Amino acid sequence: MPNFGEILKKLQEVFSKLTLVQRLILGGILFGAVILLVFLANFSTKSTYSLLYKSPLSQEEYARITKKMAEWNVKFETKDDKYILLKDESQSRTIRMRLGQEGIIPNNVKGWELFDTQKFSTTDFERNVNLQRAIIGEMSRHLKTLEDVEDVTIEVAFPKDSLYSEYQAPTTASVIIVPKPYSDLAENKNKVRGIVNLVAMGIPNLKIDNIVVVDNKGNVLSDMLVPDDASEGLKLAREHLKIKERERAVLVARIKDALNKSVSDERLLISADIEFDWTKKKTDADRIVPIEIRKPDPLKSYDQGEYQVNVPVSEKKTTEKFDGPGYIPEGPAGVENNVPPGLKDKVDRYTHYNKDENIVNYQNSREKVHEEKAPYEIKRISVAVSIDGVWEILRTDAGDPVVTNGGRIARSYRTVDRESLKNYEEWVKAAVNFDAKRGDDVVVNSISFSHDKEFEKEDEGIRRKVQLRRTLFASVIVLFFLFLATLLYRWIARELEKRRRLREEEIARQQQAMREAALRAAEEEAATVELSIEEKARVELLENAINLSRERADDVARLIRTWLAEE
């Protein structure tokens, strides 16, 4: 652990070496730092306010909200009579929730003020969106200024610009209006026409025919602008379109249910059309119904039933027979007498006469039928189903995808075989109740769909994985070489340090040898000359240093290196 006493002592030594000017500058810096810390502490402890609503409030909304908050005894501050400030965000959320429960929700409709502040990073797309929002917001403000309108909501579909006018989709708008109480807006055609014209003139490329105005009860007010003679036909045509679209959706759903067990939605493209007969018919018929004598057996493949068209209700039989001679009648030829003719004479012939009469009265089983055709009848069904083949990714023996030089995954396409197409066609026919007599048409074929975007995403993912793998491999190699370089550097540094230490030890040894030689020479001289006290002390000190260098050679070598470094 650090010795704080030593640190304080060193600081005192450093401070004592400073001049008066340096001491004054250091004191000013410390004093300024203390003042700054105190200011930051006071500033951080101050309460920050939170906006109740980040958008500016209208005068009516501002008055309603402040009045309600005053009733609740909530402390708040205001700014520019448009913003309400509370002490923190938690209180703002609570007050917003309570205001919502009271039904006080500001509209926050923005118009051209969206362009009051423009960020440097705003893109063209954001500018276009803000322009559309500003147009809708200004139009909503205009409509709210009308006397009969309490609230309004406008939704506009702005199509993308096309290079060719014939392919340009129209701009459409839907307007929902909440009329004020006791207003005749829902019955006044002129007022509705004024609203439609105002919206059409205020929004670019918007035609009157593409505007739908609805009140809060769901009544289509814009239908009042249609001429009376065409309103019934227009309503009928709209009903026909709704029925046709509903039946077409049901037909497509049945086809999908029939094929989804085998083919996914991504591989299906279904187009269906239904022709309807909207003719109204009523039929009265008197039919003769055969009488069933014996019911057919449903377990047998052929019909064994017996039927009879009519049954006898009465029968009359008459039989006459005569045997005897024949007579010749007399009287004037060609004249009928008032007196029955007599018999002149017998004829020599024997007469036979037989008469059989059989009269049978039959009664037919009749059925009187009164038929009234449904509002519509399916006249013809046309269905076209396109099934995409299967794209398979080519893989190596290890299971990895095969990637081309361009960074794309190699794929192979397998189309749907004819037998499967035939089975799918039978399924579709069964799902749509196919009727050849009605002229129905069902076509099922195999078409290769475009998967460029999907494949591009997959290829991009594979490229990122390959690039990541290469980066990791390169990083591992670089780290390995850095590790080797570090080991080599440390080995070279140790080797250089070892050689330097050996060289210094050699120098120290040579110096020691020179000192020892000098001592021996001095001893020889001391034998003849008596040494003084100082010389004896110096000789003793030198002997102690020699003995210490022999016992602690490493410490002596470090001491010598320090001396050399200082020199």
Side-chain angles (χ1 to χ4, degrees):
M1 295 180 63
N3 191 345
F4 293 101
E6 294 181 359
I7 295 175
L8 183 60
K9 185 177 180 181
K10 290 182 179 179
L11 291 176
Q12 291 177 354
E13 292 177 357
V14 172
F15 186 76
S16 62
K17 294 179 180 179
L18 297 177
T19 62
L20 180 61
V21 177
Q22 292 175 343
R23 292 179 181 179
L24 292 176
I25 293 174
L26 181 60
I29 293 173
L30 293 176
F31 180 75
V34 172
I35 295 299
L36 180 62
L37 290 175
V38 172
F39 175 77
L40 292 176
N42 292 332
F43 182 78
S44 60
T45 56
K46 289 184 179 179
S47 59
T48 57
Y49 289 94
S50 174
L51 287 173
L52 179 62
Y53 295 103
K54 299 184 182 300
S55 300
L57 301 174
S58 63
Q59 294 297 328
E60 297 179 357
E61 294 169 348
Y62 176 81
R64 292 173 60 191
I65 293 175
T66 53
K67 180 180 178 182
K68 183 60 68 175
M69 293 176 65
E71 294 176 358
W72 293 340
N73 296 325
V74 177
K75 295 182 179 180
F76 62 91
E77 294 185 6
T78 61
K79 180 182 178 182
D80 300 335
D81 293 336
K82 295 180 180 180
Y83 299 94
I84 299 175
L85 303 176
L86 297 175
K87 64 178 182 179
D88 54 15
E89 183 62 27
S90 177
Q91 188 181 16
S92 298
R93 288 195 297 267
T94 304
I95 297 301
R96 282 197 296 268
M97 180 181 66
R98 294 181 64 183
L99 290 173
Q101 292 174 351
E102 294 291 334
I104 304 176
I105 302 176
N107 293 326
N108 294 330
V109 178
K110 291 186 178 181
W112 298 116
E113 60 269 15
L114 288 170
F115 296 93
D116 292 342
T117 57
Q118 288 291 323
K119 296 181 180 179
F120 179 74
S121 60
T122 304
T123 61
D124 293 338
F125 175 76
E126 292 176 342
R127 291 190 182 94
N128 292 331
V129 172
N130 289 336
L131 176 61
Q132 296 172 6
R133 291 177 58 194
I135 292 174
I136 296 174
E138 290 296 328
M139 185 56 59
S140 300
R141 289 179 178 178
H142 288 328
L143 293 180
K144 287 182 180 180
T145 58
L146 299 178
E147 182 180 357
D148 295 315
V149 177
E150 181 175 354
D151 195 8
V152 64
T153 303
I154 301 177
E155 292 293 337
V156 181
F158 293 97
K160 294 182 179 179
D161 294 334
S162 177
L163 295 176
Y164 304 99
S165 59
E166 58 268 20
Y167 299 118
Q168 180 66 43
T171 304
T172 58
S174 60
V175 183
I176 301 177
I177 293 178
V178 180
K180 287 187 177 180
Y182 309 107
S183 173
D184 63 341
L185 180 61
E187 294 84 15
N188 196 320
K189 185 185 298 184
N190 293 328
K191 292 182 179 180
V192 176
R193 183 180 290 108
I195 292 175
V196 171
N197 291 333
L198 182 64
V199 175
M201 294 301 176
I203 298 177
N205 301 325
L206 180 60
K207 297 181 180 180
I208 294 177
D209 297 337
N210 295 330
I211 301 175
V212 177
V213 181
V214 183
D215 62 1
N216 57 336
K217 296 181 180 178
N219 300 320
V220 183
L221 304 182
S222 55
D223 284 348
M224 293 191 300
L225 304 181
V226 181
D228 296 336
D229 55 350
S231 60
E232 293 298 330
L234 182 60
K235 291 181 180 178
L236 186 61
R238 287 178 179 174
E239 292 296 328
H240 289 177
L241 289 177
K242 290 180 181 178
I243 294 173
K244 184 175 182 179
E245 187 62 26
R246 184 180 68 247
E247 294 294 334
R248 194 193 69 82
V250 171
L251 190 66
V252 172
R254 287 195 302 196
I255 296 173
K256 284 186 177 181
D257 291 340
L259 297 178
N260 272 345
K261 297 296 183 181
S262 178
V263 184
S264 60
D265 288 339
E266 293 79 9
R267 295 177 55 203
L268 277 178
L269 179 60
I270 302 173
S271 176
D273 186 36
I274 305 175
E275 295 182 11
F276 290 92
D277 184 6
W278 307 100
T279 307
K280 295 182 179 180
K281 293 181 180 179
K282 293 183 179 180
T283 305
D284 293 330
D286 190 3
R287 300 175 183 174
I288 298 177
V289 182
I291 299 173
E292 187 179 34
I293 298 176
R294 184 174 64 181
K295 294 184 178 180
D297 189 357
L299 300 178
K300 295 184 178 180
S301 58
Y302 58 93
D303 189 4
Q304 289 184 333
E306 293 184 4
Y307 305 93
Q308 187 173 350
V309 179
N310 47 32
V311 294
V313 295
S314 62
E315 184 178 0
K316 178 183 178 182
K317 293 183 179 180
T318 304
T319 303
E320 293 183 359
K321 186 176 181 182
F322 172 76
D323 293 327
Y327 293 90
I328 300 174
E330 62 179 3
V335 180
E336 295 183 1
N337 296 327
N338 291 328
V339 180
L343 298 178
K344 183 178 181 181
D345 199 357
K346 292 190 295 184
V347 181
D348 294 334
R349 293 180 180 177
Y350 195 78
T351 304
H352 298 279
Y353 171 74
N354 291 323
K355 179 182 178 182
D356 292 329
E357 183 179 11
N358 188 8
I359 300 174
V360 180
N361 295 323
Y362 290 91
Q363 180 68 40
N364 297 325
S365 177
R366 294 181 177 273
E367 180 182 19
K368 291 185 178 182
V369 180
H370 175 75
E371 293 182 347
E372 185 172 353
K373 191 178 178 181
Y376 62 88
E377 181 180 355
I378 296 178
K379 187 177 180 181
R380 184 172 178 269
I381 295 176
S382 299
V383 178
V385 180
S386 299
I387 302 176
D388 187 16
V390 179
W391 287 91
E392 297 179 350
I393 299 177
L394 300 180
R395 298 183 181 275
T396 60
D397 296 337
D400 298 328
V402 178
V403 182
T404 60
N405 294 329
R408 295 183 176 274
I409 304 174
R411 300 177 177 85
S412 63
Y413 179 75
R414 178 168 54 86
T415 186
V416 184
D417 56 276
R418 294 183 177 274
E419 185 177 355
S420 298
L421 289 176
K422 186 176 180 181
N423 294 332
Y424 293 148
E425 184 176 351
E426 295 296 329
W427 288 2
V428 173
K429 288 182 177 179
V432 302
N433 296 327
F434 179 80
D435 189 358
K437 297 179 180 179
R438 192 170 54 188
D440 294 350
D441 188 15
V442 174
V443 177
V444 180
N445 52 17
S446 177
I447 297 178
S448 176
F449 294 174
S450 176
H451 298 275
D452 295 339
K453 294 182 179 179
E454 180 183 353
F455 290 166
E456 183 62 28
K457 290 181 179 179
E458 293 180 358
D459 296 341
E460 184 65 25
I462 292 296
R463 284 195 292 268
R464 283 199 298 268
K465 290 181 180 179
V466 172
Q467 185 65 27
L468 180 61
R469 190 179 303 170
R470 292 177 180 175
T471 304
L472 291 176
F473 182 72
S475 301
V476 170
I477 293 177
V478 170
L479 292 175
F480 177 73
F481 280 106
L482 287 176
F483 179 71
L484 291 180
T486 303
L487 293 179
L488 181 62
Y489 172 78
R490 294 184 64 182
W491 179 79
I492 293 174
R494 284 197 300 269
E495 189 67 21
L496 292 176
E497 180 68 21
K498 180 179 179 181
R499 292 182 181 182
R500 187 172 63 82
R501 188 172 63 253
L502 292 175
R503 186 170 59 253
E504 292 175 354
E505 290 176 355
E506 181 64 22
I507 293 172
R509 186 176 57 78
Q510 292 176 1
Q511 292 177 353
Q512 182 67 24
M514 292 174 64
R515 291 189 186 91
E516 291 178 356
L519 288 175
R520 284 194 298 270
E523 289 177 355
E524 291 176 357
E525 292 179 356
T528 57
V529 180
E530 186 178 357
L531 298 177
S532 62
I533 298 174
E534 291 82 2
E535 291 176 349
K536 290 181 180 180
R538 186 180 301 108
V539 170
E540 185 179 358
L541 182 62
L542 182 60
E543 290 178 354
N544 292 333
I546 292 171
N547 295 330
L548 181 63
S549 63
R550 290 175 180 175
E551 295 175 358
R552 302 177 63 180
D554 294 337
D555 295 338
V556 173
R558 281 196 294 271
L559 180 61
I560 294 173
R561 284 198 297 269
T562 304
W563 289 345
L564 293 176
E566 291 178 353
E567 293 177 357

